[in-house]
Amino acid sequence: MDKNVKAQETQPLKDRVNNRSRRINSLAFREFIGSGWGERKDPPPTPSPAKEYLPQRYQKLGAHFRGERLVIPAGNYKVRSNDCDYRFRAHSAFAHLTGLGGELEPDAALVLEPLTDKEGTPLDNSPADTQSFTHRGIIFFRPQAPRSSEEFYSDSTYGEFWVGPRMTLTQMEAVTGLQARPLDTLPDQLAKDAGLVQLRVIRNVDSCVQAAVEKVRQEAGLVTGEDAKAIDEKLEEAASVLRLQKDDAEIKELQQAVAITKRGFEDMIRVLPRATGHRRGERVIEGAFGARAREEGNGLGYDTIAASGNHANTLHWIDNDGQVREGDLILIDAGVEADSLYTADITRTLPVNGKFTPVQAKVYNAVLDACEAGLAQANKPGCRFKDVHDAAVATLVKHLDSWGLLPVSAEQTLSEDGGEYRRWMPHGVSHHLGLDVHDCAQAARDMYMDAPLEPGMCFTIEPGLYFHQDDELLPEELRGIGVRIEDDVLVEKDGSVRRLSEDIPRTIEDVEAWMTRVQAG
């Protein structure tokens, strides 16, 4: 057998993706490429805007887990195809508790180490224990490798030649304010006081970190595997609930994301004339927004919906491969993710030619009325999260009833035995917003839908009406019209609720004037 054929048969599949490259491993080359480098001229590290807020976040989270070691992984690169990865995006709990945004730091892990009392024993869960700060943060990551290392030039995933320099330990500490340690020392930290300190980890984020936690648990006689699932899920839930009320640093990032998103909408308005002449006009719109998102932010907070005409009636239309026709409405649902990873979530429904027809205006104003009703409800004392939805839907039902579309009374359709209105408004009106476009998703119902609005909560108000072109229960003039209006709102410290997206026009008069002004240049 040919030796090359034999080598291929014994080479593992996972290693064959590198067969397209020639590796030079001579000693002469390694010595040459590792020498002759001057001092790096890296700019001084910029502290994370969240740096001063991290102790307070640890205090709130740690109060539920006194004396326990908490492990929050960042996650890993995900393979897109063969040896190409998707851009890295950290798990939201890790981003929130480290303040690291952008595309930092794959494979890293945050350990919240329990503080001890004067006798050196872990703090217990006693309500009488009034110590404010229960944990300190230690971040474990791959620090910058020396240029004399093989990784520097040969590792296409982590090597500086390929992906640029990573932070040093000192730089990481300056950015986050946390103690920073090399990733390979993480197992030692996890094993410290094994058996005396309970371990919790956010699961299904990093298999290596999770395996390291399991190994320590097994060796220390702690609960492991599926038996530990409930313990770990309590940490995941608490980290999600922690984000229900945003601090000032988070609110600032959300406001910036909204501001960039407004500029992205104006970019889309500018290209509308070109989109109407393109076979995939919706992608012309999508592309304009995507450019702004990458120029000024980290990228898109979620896939842009640019749904023209009847496509607006598909709630999550992200194919964006249709034409944009004169006289149609185009529903655009888009949000920029800032470098901090906080995202906006805005929807506007625009007339392609800059002017609403009377029928379009009728549907649009009904949805706008529902937006106002939701905001007015949110400003009432004692409002619960789900009350915003109910107020907006009741307003839409009033319009549907006045147009003679409902097969039953307004009261009946809003009852538990009804629901017919959902043919034209099938989704929820609100969701929490933050590091995830649907933030705090692990919060239990009593902390989410049934909870009263509290200062720092940021959420959307997004009613809509969707009239499919083949819906024979509708008058013909309404068929093919889909309208959604979505704003991002914040509960202020005094309990009042304001739109973060107030500067993005929403009334018919303001939208038409806005489009005219933007397209005029």
Side-chain angles (χ1 to χ4, degrees), residues 41-324:
K41 294 181 172 58
D42 299 327
T46 302
S48 165
K51 180 178 177 180
E52 64 182 279
Y53 293 86
L54 296 183
Q56 287 76 26
R57 295 177 191 178
Y58 299 166
Q59 177 185 1
K60 291 179 181 178
L61 180 65
H64 302 286
F65 306 105
R66 292 179 182 272
E68 300 185 19
R69 182 170 293 128
L70 312 177
V71 185
I72 299 94
N76 319 109
Y77 285 115
K78 301 294 191 297
V79 176
R80 185 182 187 276
S81 61
N82 290 331
D83 59 345
C84 296
D85 296 319
Y86 287 103
R87 289 185 180 277
F88 176 71
R89 204 278 191 187
H91 189 279
S92 293
F94 177 87
H96 184 234
L97 293 168
T98 62
L100 292 173
E103 297 171 22
L104 309 170
E105 283 280 341
D107 307 325
L110 172 69
V111 174
L112 294 184
E113 189 67 18
L115 297 176
T116 58
D117 63 20
K118 293 179 181 179
E119 288 71 38
T121 56
L123 295 168
D124 62 23
N125 291 290
S126 170
D129 189 336
T130 58
Q131 178 161 335
S132 295
F133 295 99
T134 62
H135 292 76
R136 64 184 174 93
I138 308 173
I139 187 167
F140 295 82
F141 76 110
R142 296 176 182 268
Q144 190 177 92
R147 285 166 166 166
S148 58
S149 68
E150 185 176 347
E151 177 191 289
F152 169 67
Y153 65 86
S154 70
D155 191 325
S156 62
T157 302
Y158 301 106
E160 183 176 338
F161 242 41
W162 297 83
V163 298
R166 296 193 302 278
M167 283 190 275
T168 65
L169 294 172
T170 301
Q171 288 170 334
M172 178 64 78
E173 290 180 346
V175 169
T176 63
L178 305 175
Q179 185 177 21
R181 296 181 185 174
L183 183 62
D184 58 12
T185 66
L186 175 62
D188 292 337
Q189 188 67 33
L190 297 180
K192 182 181 177 183
D193 301 324
L196 298 176
V197 176
Q198 176 64 268
L199 273 173
R200 297 182 192 252
V201 63
I202 295 185
R203 293 182 165 224
N204 304 317
V205 179
D206 185 322
S207 59
C208 291
V209 172
Q210 190 166 328
V213 169
E214 283 294 283
K215 183 174 184 292
V216 171
R217 283 171 167 170
Q218 290 170 356
E219 293 176 349
L222 298 172
V223 63
T224 62
E226 285 300 300
D227 293 334
K229 184 178 180 181
I231 293 173
D232 292 337
E233 287 183 346
K234 284 292 184 183
L235 172 59
E236 183 177 6
E237 178 188 12
S240 185
V241 169
L242 180 64
R243 302 199 304 273
L244 282 170
Q245 291 175 260
K246 273 63 178 177
D247 56 39
D248 290 345
E250 294 177 278
I251 293 167
K252 184 177 180 180
E253 293 300 323
L254 283 164
Q255 190 72 76
Q256 180 178 347
V258 170
I260 302 172
T261 297
K262 179 187 178 182
R263 293 193 283 276
F265 267 84
E266 291 177 340
D267 292 336
M268 292 187 282
I269 290 171
R270 289 187 187 96
V271 301
L272 268 172
R274 183 166 73 87
T276 58
H278 196 286
R279 69 184 182 88
R280 286 183 167 180
E282 291 173 341
R283 291 197 183 174
V284 174
I285 303 300
E286 175 190 351
F289 188 82
R292 177 68 66 174
R294 282 297 287 169
E295 287 172 21
E296 294 196 45
N298 188 55
L300 300 174
Y302 53 94
D303 287 331
T304 298
I305 297 170
S308 186
N310 190 58
H311 286 166
N313 296 311
T314 300
L315 299 180
H316 290 167
W317 176 258
I318 58 173
D319 288 350
N320 298 338
D321 60 357
Q323 294 182 344
V324 176

Side-chain angles (χ1 to χ4, degrees), residues 381-437:
C383 178
R384 295 169 300 173
F385 190 84
K386 66 182 180 180
D387 297 338
V388 177
H389 171 91
D390 293 344
V393 165
T395 299
L396 290 177
V397 165
K398 180 184 69 175
H399 285 281
L400 293 172
D401 188 39
S402 70
W403 299 339
L405 299 182
L406 295 173
V408 297
S409 68
E411 182 181 13
Q412 177 61 29
T413 198
L414 288 169
S415 70
E416 290 186 4
D417 296 327
E420 294 83 359
Y421 73 88
R422 293 178 65 89
R423 182 184 181 102
W424 303 296
M425 170 50 190
H427 61 77
V429 163
S430 297
H431 58 77
H432 280 276
L433 183 68
L435 279 164
D436 296 325
V437 67

